[in-house]
């Protein structure tokens, strides 16, 4: 009976939405220092990414514009954040990069197929191309990525290590 | 000029490849940056979650602390009734105390041996004594009990003459430095003095309480602060925190530090003659007067009215929050939460501009809220764990905006990569959480089974999270933490018993029921404090009778439903000395959590 099937599907989606709501609320609350349902706009990117999404800086910028107040206050309210974020999760937007695509990206930057990038090369690419890193971001990436003996980034090992860490 | 434009031709083809190349590189860079930012954000979130866990558990313990205070108040109020039932016990607890002995009486009893090569203070104190202490403590020397007592008595005398509120003047050329909680972390104090200079008439300081507990140099910090105060009483200001309280000290480590540092040394003196029969009962040397001296200076039955005591708790325990109004601080179990409207009202009423307070650990060492009117400053870096937070101090003067200085003590010469630091504090936090779970195993299972109608052993995420929050009383992001605690099947349902798989409480005695073991483990901090108080001569021993009586009173107040006979059996089997007395430190140490995948077998070395 089609109706029953439809109802079942709707019910499932309701439950999924309810669970998303709780998940979003949890992630939001951890950054809501004053417990007044607002977070600093500078932490919104972290919250969105902690929910498993990987928007680019440009996409993040657009999302923030959607959840900000008419007159930006520097704070984002939960009431505005929730519906937008729920849509993002339901539509499965901004999926994370799979490991093999990441590996290929490093290989593109290493056309000579040496198996590594020099420290200077990595810095150049990360701070001059694409959506450039801040100094803090660059330093943090280097501290984990640089193999101290060769002073270069052995990117295959690096990726493997990061993936293990996340799981 | 008519020759073909080689450059053009060459440029034409190679610029196309160049464009294609740089477009690929651009895309590759974007991929890597995108991935890295996502990864970094998740690291920061895990760090934040770990902090939330530490903080929630800390506050839940503080609730337990206040509950214990209530227990003692209850005993005090029901003194006569309790006295009837358990004579002698209450006298041990309250009656005795030490008559307020004279300074001279104490000092006469202590002798500094010639062999003592620690720092020697010279009264009246000068700045050279501050330097002397700092140098000595850097070399891990211990200040002799004689000097400690002198400093304590002198500080008490001076403080008693000072008002509750101190007014101080500042100017752009005479800024004042405000430090928050130090909690026995001597390295942080040294760092502050190194970066900001020692206290002096031109370099005034305010220390905003919580000097002691948790860290391992509470005594040294206290001595440096008190000596500095005695040298510069108008420029070194000490405010009281909620840890300047002898009952907190019993739970959170200061008392233990004192007993450890001052009991083992040859500064032991003969038993102080008190009640004749008590002196006879003991077969160990009495301890130094230090511990007792501290006890007299802050008994929990201070001469305050109930209302005054509530005001003190309000000042020492409250936290600012975003919600307007004033409402009970349910996290800590004492004091209140106050909103920005309250802050404005009070500041306006007394024509004040800013409230600087401490008491809450902040990841960056400080935090501003309530529209810039409330500043929290916290000076103990790595408070929960290495890498958990920065410390900070503030420099300010009238007419200028406050300046913040941050730091973080690190043992290694260079900071470990972020992911290693996060892994470390995350596993530490999860460990603590699992121990909390195992100590409430019975209650948790009951709550789970209530919801598990089909007896399937599984619950939905929502059901599991609900039970966890309710039973443990911890407001945590359970959904995000679930992957660390339990196993989930492909439908997203949780196998709730899996949370208890790789931890268990070591059973010191096989035959005794798990629920009893669990209960003793859960209340071990409270029991330790109670035992310490009963054990007025600090011998580490109390009689079987006292042990049983105390348990009965505790049981009724905490509504613990354990058969008396069960407890008796446990006590009998654990009478390790077999002489009718219980070495309660040994007793409590026998209850610990075993983590299956662990090199360490003993957990929770933070027992107060």
């Amino acid at each position: 009976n089609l109706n029953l099937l439809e109802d079942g599907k709707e019910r499932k989606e309701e439950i999924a939405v309810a669970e998303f709501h709780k998940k979003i609320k949890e992630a939001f609350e951890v950054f809501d220092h004053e417990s007044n349902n607002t977070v600093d706009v500078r932490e919104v990117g972290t919250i969105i990414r902690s929910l498993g999404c990987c928007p680019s800086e440009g996409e993040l910028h657009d999302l923030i514009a959607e959840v900000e107040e008419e007159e930006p206050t520097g704070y984002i309210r939960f009431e505005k954040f929730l519906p937008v974020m729920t849509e993002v999760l339901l539509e499965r937007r901004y999926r994370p990069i799979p490991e093999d695509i990441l590996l290929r990206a490093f290989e593109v930057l290493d056309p000579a197929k040496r198996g590594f990038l020099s420290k200077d090369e990595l810095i150049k690419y990360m701070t001059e191309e694409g959506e450039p890193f801040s100094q803090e971001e660059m330093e943090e990436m280097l501290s984990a990525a640089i193999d101290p003996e060769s002073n270069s980034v052995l990117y295959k090992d690096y990726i493997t290590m990061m993936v293990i860490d996340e799981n | 000029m008519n020759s073909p434009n080689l450059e053009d031709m060459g440029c034409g083809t190679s610029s196309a490849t160049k464009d294609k190349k740089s477009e690929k590189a651009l895309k590759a860079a974007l991929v890597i940056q995108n991935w890295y930012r996502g990864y970094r954000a998740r690291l920061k979130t895990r760090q934040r979650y770990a902090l939330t866990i530490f903080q929630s558990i800390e506050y839940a313990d503080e609730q337990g602390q206040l509950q214990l205070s209530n227990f003692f108040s209850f005993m005090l109020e029901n003194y006569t009734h309790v006295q009837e039932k358990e004579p002698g016990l209450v006298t041990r607890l309250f009656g005795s105390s030490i008559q307020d002995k004279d300074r001279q009486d104490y000092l006469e009893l202590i002798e500094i041996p010639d062999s003592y090569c620690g720092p020697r203070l010279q009264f009246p104190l000068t700045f050279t004594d501050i330097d002397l202490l700092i140098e000595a403590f850097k070399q891990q020397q211990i200040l002799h009990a004689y000097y400690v007592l002198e400093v304590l008595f002198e500080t008490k005398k001076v403080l008693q003459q000072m008002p509750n509120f101190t007014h101080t003047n500042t100017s752009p050329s005479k800024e004042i430095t405000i430090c928050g909680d130090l909690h026995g972390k001597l390295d942080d104090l040294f760092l502050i003095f190194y970066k900001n200079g020692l206290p002096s008439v031109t370099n005034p300081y305010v220390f905003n309480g919580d000097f002691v507990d948790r860290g391992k140099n509470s005594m040294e910090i206290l001595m440096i602060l008190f000596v500095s105060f005695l040298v510069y009483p108008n420029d070194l200001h000490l405010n009281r925190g909620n840890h300047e309280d002898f009952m907190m000290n019993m739970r959170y480590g200061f008392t233990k530090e004192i007993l450890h540092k001052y009991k083992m040394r040859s500064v032991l003196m003969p038993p102080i003659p008190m009640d004749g029969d008590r002196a006879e009962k003991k077969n160990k040397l009495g301890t130094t007067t230090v511990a007792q001296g501290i006890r007299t200076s802050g008994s929990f039955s201070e001469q305050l009215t109930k209302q005054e005591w509530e005001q003190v708790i309000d000042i020492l325990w409250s936290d600012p929050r975003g919600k307007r109004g004033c409402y009970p601080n349910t996290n800590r179990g004492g004091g209140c939460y106050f909103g920005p409207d309250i802050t404005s009202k009070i500041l306006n009423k007394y024509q004040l501009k800013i409230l600087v307070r401490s008491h809450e650990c902040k990841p960056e060492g400080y935090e501003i809220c309530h529209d810039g009117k409330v500043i929290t400053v916290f000076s103990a870096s790595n408070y929960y764990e290495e890498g958990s937070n920065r410390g900070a101090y503030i420099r300010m003067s009238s007419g200028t905006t406050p300046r913040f200085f941050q730091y973080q003590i690190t043992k290694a010469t260079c900071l470990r990569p972020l992911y290693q630091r996060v892994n470390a504090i995350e596993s530490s936090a999860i460990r603590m959480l699992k121990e909390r779970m195992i100590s409430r195993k019975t209650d948790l299972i009951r709550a789970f089974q209530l919801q598990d109608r089909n007896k399937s052993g599984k619950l939905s995420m929502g059901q599991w999270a609900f039970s966890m929050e309710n039973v443990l009383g911890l407001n945590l992001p359970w959904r995000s933490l679930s992957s660390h605690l339990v196993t989930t099947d492909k439908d997203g349902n949780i196998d709730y018993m899996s949370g208890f798989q790789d931890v268990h409480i070591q059973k010191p005695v096989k035959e005794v029921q798990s629920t009893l073991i669990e209960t003793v483990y859960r209340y071990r901090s409270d029991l330790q404090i109670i035992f310490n108080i009963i054990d007025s001569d600090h011998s580490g021993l109390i009689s079987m009778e006292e042990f049983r009586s105390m348990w009965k009173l505790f049981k009724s107040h905490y509504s613990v439903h354990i058969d008396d006979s069960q407890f008796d059996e446990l006590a009998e089997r654990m009478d390790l000395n077999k002489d009718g007395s219980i070495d309660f430190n040994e007793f409590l140490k026998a209850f610990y959590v075993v983590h299956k995948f662990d090199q360490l077998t003993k957990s929770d070395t933070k027992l107060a």
Side-chain angles (χ1 to χ4, degrees), chain B residues 32-46:
Chain B
I32 298 173
Q33 285 158 345
N34 182 312
W35 163 80
Y36 185 74
R37 285 185 168 118
Y39 170 71
R40 184 169 175 263
R42 285 188 290 279
L43 271 184
K44 294 246 141 140
T45 309
R46 283 164 62 194

Side-chain angles (χ1 to χ4, degrees), chain A residues 93-109:
Chain A
R93 270 193 260 161
Y94 316 127
R95 299 271 82 216
I97 315 272
E99 196 182 329
D100 54 338
I101 306 277
L102 185 58
L103 181 59
R104 256 196 273 152
F106 274 103
E107 286 171 347
V108 163
L109 300 181

Side-chain angles (χ1 to χ4, degrees), chain A residues 19 22 26 30 33-34 49-50 54 57 105 126 129-133 136-137 140-141 161-162 165-166, chain B residues 26 28 33-37 39-42 45 48-49 321-322 369 418-419 423 477-480:
Chain A
E19 266 305 303
K22 298 224 178 79
E26 264 186 9
V30 169
H33 308 300
E34 292 191 48
R49 287 171 172 133
S50 77
C54 283
E57 290 290 278
M126 294 294 102
E129 301 277 351
E131 294 174 324
F133 274 171
E136 200 190 337
E137 284 171 322
E140 267 179 25
M141 183 181 197
M161 191 166 61
M162 297 296 110
D165 180 52
E166 287 242 87
Chain B
L26 169 71
Q33 285 158 345
N34 182 312
W35 163 80
Y36 185 74
R37 285 185 168 118
Y39 170 71
R40 184 169 175 263
R42 285 188 290 279
T45 309
R48 191 54 70 93
Y49 282 171
R321 283 291 183 272
C369 63
L418 183 63
Y419 81 93
N423 274 338
W478 295 109
R479 286 165 181 77
S480 312

Side-chain angles (χ1 to χ4, degrees), chain B residues 7-265:
Chain B
E7 249 187 29
D8 268 335
M9 287 201 331
C11 219
T13 18
S14 65
S15 95
T17 21
K18 246 200 198 134
D19 279 343
K20 211 165 167 214
K21 257 195 180 160
S22 48
E23 198 187 304
K24 276 184 104 182
L26 169 71
K27 283 212 171 116
L30 276 172
V31 163
I32 298 173
Q33 285 158 345
N34 182 312
W35 163 80
Y36 185 74
R37 285 185 168 118
Y39 170 71
R40 184 169 175 263
R42 285 188 290 279
L43 271 184
K44 294 246 141 140
T45 309
R46 283 164 62 194
Q47 188 179 36
R48 191 54 70 93
Y49 282 171
L51 229 63
T52 306
I53 293 176
F54 285 131
Q55 202 156 57
S56 293
I57 293 185
E58 178 183 24
Y59 293 171
D61 279 347
E62 286 181 348
Q63 271 197 53
Q65 181 60 31
L66 288 171
Q67 188 181 23
L68 189 63
S69 294
N70 287 341
F71 173 58
F72 282 113
S73 304
F74 152 77
M75 299 233 335
L76 199 58
E77 278 160 29
N78 297 295
Y79 187 105
T80 37
H81 177 65
V82 170
Q83 176 77 316
E84 277 164 35
K85 289 178 117 194
E86 316 287 348
L89 178 64
V90 182
T91 330
R92 272 266 254 177
L93 275 180
F94 305 119
S96 72
S97 274
I98 300 87
Q99 309 103 352
D100 227 314
K101 273 204 150 34
D102 219 299
R103 176 184 188 147
Q104 271 316 106
D105 296 333
Y106 279 118
L107 292 178
E108 265 164 18
L109 295 166
I110 306 186
E111 236 180 63
I112 306 176
D114 290 333
S115 57
Y116 173 68
C117 49
R120 291 171 187 261
L121 300 174
Q122 288 215 325
F123 284 78
L125 298 168
T126 61
F127 66 86
T128 41
D129 294 289
I130 303 178
D131 287 332
L132 189 69
L133 273 189
I134 291 179
E135 284 317 301
F137 291 155
K138 278 190 177 154
Q139 290 165 42
Q140 273 117 40
Q141 290 174 2
I142 294 190
L143 184 66
H144 196 279
Y146 182 87
Y147 294 118
V148 172
L149 271 177
E150 281 213 290
V151 170
L152 288 178
F153 275 113
E154 192 65 31
T155 306
K156 184 173 175 178
K157 188 176 96 184
V158 176
L159 280 176
Q160 275 175 333
Q161 292 163 356
M162 292 185 116
N164 274 343
F165 289 91
T166 312
H167 295 262
T168 183
N169 285 323
T170 60
S171 65
S173 57
K174 187 180 169 181
E175 286 183 315
I176 193 163
T177 306
I178 306 178
C179 300
D181 301 36
L182 284 169
H183 283 300
K185 316 281 241 80
L186 192 56
D187 286 335
D188 288 82
L189 183 60
F190 283 160
L191 187 67
I192 295 172
F193 283 162
Y194 176 71
K195 282 174 70 133
N196 197 55
L198 290 176
S200 70
V201 173
T202 48
N203 194 20
Y205 274 86
V206 174
F207 285 93
N208 227 8
D210 283 9
F211 321 121
V212 299
D213 282 334
R214 296 188 156 253
K216 52 187 181 64
N217 294 102
S218 299
M219 184 54 111
E220 285 70 38
I221 291 207
L222 209 58
M223 285 300 108
I224 293 177
L225 291 181
F226 282 171
V227 166
S228 304
F229 168 70
L230 291 172
V231 177
Y232 302 111
N234 298 317
D235 300 290
L236 193 310
H237 308 276
L238 299 170
N239 285 339
R240 183 180 182 182
N242 67 323
H243 279 260
E244 274 68 63
D245 171 314
F246 102 104
M247 280 201 62
M248 291 292 275
N249 299 151
M250 299 203 86
R251 183 187 284 268
Y252 289 105
F254 185 32
T255 309
K256 192 176 178 200
E257 181 186 322
I258 298 173
L259 290 174
H260 178 75
K261 279 179 178 159
Y262 289 87
K263 191 171 187 172
M264 317 297 215
R265 315 248 119 199

Side-chain angles (χ1 to χ4, degrees), chain A residues 15-47:
Chain A
I15 298 177
V17 168
E19 266 305 303
F20 278 153
H21 279 182
K22 298 224 178 79
K23 227 179 146 191
I24 296 169
K25 185 161 194 280
E26 264 186 9
F28 193 87
E29 276 180 350
V30 169
F31 290 89
D32 176 14
H33 308 300
E34 292 191 48
S35 309
N36 59 353
N37 291 328
T38 64
V39 298
D40 191 318
V41 65
R42 292 166 292 184
E43 312 215 85
V44 167
T46 310
I47 300 175

